[in-house]
Amino acid sequence: EIVLTQSPGTLSLSPGERATLSCRASQSVRSSNLAWYQQKPGQAPRLLINGASTRATGIPDRFSGSGSGTDFTLTITRLESEDFAVYYCQQYDGSPMWTFGQGTKVEIK
Amino acid sequence: QLQLQESGPGLVKPSETLSLTCTVSGGSISISSYYWGWVRQPPGKGLEWIGSRYYTGSTYYNPSLKSRVTISVDTSKNQLSLKLSSVTATDTAVYYCTRLPGYEFDYWGQGILVTVSS
């Protein structure tokens, strides 16, 4: 089983700042198999990025994904008030099995 | 617009079977090349994949839950179902119905909180 470790656990930033979230895999993950989600309190997760770097439909371009192998990054260039939430990475390993990271909370500083 | 709606009991007794239904509207659950699945989230915790069913009928489960889980489809009703047997308090969670076009979960239901308690 591939384990995804997200860091930091909590990121305290101000609106307008840049957020950089990390997702590290215990084994190499195909870029096509890596996704990112945003979850706000009381809501279902929302797909932000699939294929490590492709924004899902309707996702603003301030969200970007990058990385390969075991290290992946979600970047939010200029935080807006609605971006404060919990973010999860997720991978598919073909066994087939899907796993999630434990999440990074982006909170207002 | 595709919509997924979970339904079922919000309270289940320990050792009993949790049964949930997901009704899909705005699209067919039989569409080729898609998986349909379930994800859960214990209160205040992260997301856990439970299982996924491919349109061919092939079904895959999280190894940690495999002995207790069954996912099935009723194409006549456009519904996906989840059964989880021998539940304990650790199965208390919000359960989400999801669609997977491949490797990611692109549509989610609103979720249903199921509490396991006597």
Side-chain angles (χ1 to χ4, degrees):
Chain A
E1 176 185 341
I2 296 178
V3 176
L4 299 177
T5 302
Q6 293 186 240
S7 61
T10 301
L11 201 49
S12 298
L13 295 168
S14 301
E17 290 193 297
R18 180 187 188 94
T20 303
L21 288 67
S22 173
C23 176
R24 179 161 291 178
S26 59
Q27 302 172 44
S28 185
V29 173
R30 289 187 176 184
S31 294
S32 59
N33 298 3
L34 195 289
W36 290 91
Y37 302 83
Q38 176 193 68
Q39 187 179 34
K40 297 179 181 179
Q43 296 185 16
R46 177 175 70 146
L47 176 66
L48 294 177
I49 301 284
N50 61 278
S53 61
T54 302
R55 280 187 298 277
T57 303
I59 302 303
D61 60 8
R62 64 181 181 272
F63 290 92
S64 65
S66 63
S68 62
T70 60
D71 290 293
F72 297 89
T73 301
L74 174 70
T75 301
I76 312 170
T77 51
R78 294 172 307 279
L79 281 166
E80 299 195 4
S81 57
E82 63 263 32
D83 300 335
F84 292 93
V86 179
Y87 293 83
Y88 294 94
C89 59
Q90 169 257 314
Q91 70 83 34
Y92 167 80
D93 70 5
S95 54
M97 185 162 176
W98 290 259
T99 56
F100 293 90
Q102 83 279 17
T104 289
K105 181 179 182 180
V106 179
E107 65 175 22
I108 299 177
K109 186 174 181 180
Chain B
Q1 175 76 352
L2 189 72
Q3 291 189 319
L4 288 67
Q5 179 69 59
E6 303 90 348
S7 60
L11 181 64
V12 180
K13 290 182 168 55
S15 80
E16 295 189 343
T17 296
L18 177 160
S19 295
L20 297 176
T21 298
C22 171
T23 300
V24 178
S25 58
S28 172
I29 202 168
S30 303
I31 191 170
S32 64
S33 303
Y34 282 88
Y35 290 88
W36 299 85
W38 293 91
V39 172
R40 71 179 183 179
Q41 184 172 38
K45 297 188 178 181
L47 302 165
E48 180 182 33
W49 169 69
I50 298 172
S52 301
R53 187 182 189 278
Y54 199 41
Y55 78 103
T56 57
S58 297
T59 310
Y60 308 97
Y61 301 118
N62 188 321
S64 68
L65 299 169
K66 187 174 182 177
S67 64
R68 300 193 292 129
V69 176
T70 303
I71 293 175
S72 59
V73 163
D74 185 335
T75 55
S76 66
K77 295 181 178 179
N78 223 30
Q79 291 178 334
L80 180 75
S81 70
L82 169 70
K83 292 187 185 301
L84 180 65
S85 64
S86 305
V87 298
T88 68
T90 59
D91 294 310
T92 294
V94 175
Y95 287 76
Y96 294 102
C97 173
T98 63
R99 189 185 80 164
L100 302 86
Y103 311 131
E104 69 278 356
F105 303 83
D106 67 346
Y107 277 91
W108 298 66
Q110 66 184 26
I112 182 169
L113 174 63
V114 179
T115 301
V116 178
S117 175
S118 55

